[in-house]
Structure formats: structure tokens, C-alpha cells
Amino acid sequence: MTNHIVLFEPLMPANTGNIARTCAGTETVLDLIEPLGFQLDNKKMKRAGLDYWDKVEIHKHDDLKAFLDTLGPNDEMYLISKFSSKSYTDVDYTDNNKNYYFVFGKETTGLPETFMREYYDRNLRIPMSDHIRAYNLSNSAAMVIMEALRQQGFPNLEKSHHYENDKLKDDYNRHERYERNLGDE
């Protein structure tokens, strides 16, 4: 099973850089559908991704059709859109025989309407109030991929790590502490 974040014609290098960093931290493949609104070597994008670019598997696709042509019979594609009525948390992402692709639209116009209609049953929504137009693209990608990974048991990811200069060392890292009711202190 492999998870993919797919960006359709992304415009903002900082968003793509932040998403690349999330991909590096979660071992998620990043698929970029051209045209891009920036060069991959853009300094803002590089800065947002920090020094993690060598840890990200990136696939570039000439256009939406070229991306769709890469999908196989065991691939599950989901379009993330504010226009859907089905929540991204209502889908089961745990089939080890499938690869999961989460497709996000361009920051300004989202995904093409014809594409969304063609895959109507694959549209998912992140719940939000009507006070905003949409969530930030990099935040949206992080929310969706973390839900998929949570359901999958966070494969290959550290659930706990102890650092040499751990801020919670000694008393806080003792197992017994977490069995107490911390609200009584």
C-alpha cells in the first residue's frame, strides 16, 4: 500500500513545499500535475520544504490525463473538494492491496468541474464552517493524509521518539505517570 498526495496545477510554491515536507515525514508520494505555477527549484518552495527534498518521491505528470493513465486496477483515487457532501473520514483506507491517491485542486479554482462530475462518487469533503472559502491547501493535504495513516496504523512512522535533549525526560517519560489522572495535579 502506498499513499499519494496529488496536486493539480498548484500555483503557490510555499504550499507545495509544505506539502512536500509532510510527504517526507509520512513517506507519502507527491504527484504534481502540470502546468505548475512555479519552477521546482523556486527558493520559496525549497525553503518551505527545508532540507527534506531528497526524502520525497515526486512524480510529475504532463496533464490530468497523463496522471489518470498511471492509475492501476488496485488504485483508489479520491478528489478532495468543498463541493462534496461525503466526509474524508467516512472512507476506509486500510486495504493493503490498494494504493490511495488524494487529489487536491489548484489554489484558485480547485479541480475541473468535468473531472469532478466524472468521478462524482470519489469526491470527499473536509468539514468546515461557512465562514471561510476553503482551508489552506497544505493544511488540507495534511489533514487527509493523517486520517489515512491513522486508519492504517501509521505504518513505518515513529509513534514515540526520545531525544538526547528531551523536554519531557525523566519524570514525564515514566509509564506510570501516564496511568495517573493528570488532571488531579
Side-chain angles (χ1 to χ4, degrees):
M1 168 184 359
T2 303
N3 293 309
H4 294 249
I5 292 176
V6 182
L7 302 181
F8 172 77
E9 300 181 0
L11 294 172
M12 299 176 188
N15 280 336
T16 302
N18 287 329
I19 291 167
R21 185 175 182 174
T22 296
C23 288
T26 60
E27 296 188 358
T28 299
V29 176
L30 177 59
D31 289 83
L32 300 174
I33 299 174
E34 296 187 291
L36 309 180
F38 49 84
Q39 296 295 317
L40 283 177
D41 61 355
N42 179 292
K43 72 178 183 177
K44 287 182 184 176
M45 191 176 81
K46 282 190 169 195
R47 184 173 51 224
L50 297 174
D51 55 350
Y52 303 113
W53 286 103
D54 63 328
K55 309 284 190 262
V56 182
E57 183 178 340
I58 298 176
H59 300 169
K60 286 176 58 178
H61 309 278
D62 291 336
D63 53 33
L64 188 54
K65 182 185 179 323
F67 162 71
L68 292 171
D69 288 345
T70 67
L71 298 178
N74 288 333
D75 293 335
E76 293 283 336
M77 178 182 68
Y78 295 100
L79 287 55
I80 311 304
S81 169
K82 70 178 183 178
F83 297 107
S84 178
S85 58
K86 183 175 183 177
S87 174
Y88 74 106
T89 59
D90 293 338
V91 176
D92 181 354
Y93 309 113
T94 60
D95 188 335
N96 287 326
N97 297 313
K98 295 184 178 184
N99 298 312
Y100 294 95
Y101 290 78
F102 302 101
V103 184
F104 295 84
K106 187 186 307 189
E107 289 96 334
T108 54
T109 57
L111 293 167
E113 184 176 344
T114 54
F115 176 58
M116 292 173 60
R117 289 186 185 280
E118 183 176 351
Y119 294 96
Y120 181 80
D121 62 328
R122 295 292 166 163
N123 284 273
L124 302 176
R125 176 184 176 86
I126 300 171
M128 65 180 181
S129 75
D130 63 356
H131 300 296
I132 61 171
R133 185 178 66 255
Y135 290 118
N136 171 274
L137 179 61
S138 61
N139 293 339
S140 297
M143 283 187 257
V144 172
I145 198 61
M146 292 310 288
E147 171 62 15
L149 290 165
R150 183 193 67 78
Q151 289 184 23
Q152 296 163 3
F154 298 106
N156 304 316
L157 303 182
E158 290 183 333
K159 294 178 192 163
S160 175
H161 186 86
H162 298 285
Y163 298 90
E164 185 177 329
N165 296 314
D166 199 325
K167 294 178 182 180
L168 298 177
K169 69 181 173 186
D170 303 326
D171 193 45
Y172 285 94
N173 284 331
R174 287 197 338 256
H175 180 70
E176 309 83 51
R177 174 154 174 84
Y178 293 102
E179 292 180 359
R180 295 190 315 219
N181 183 347
L182 295 177
D184 292 341
E185 294 182 4

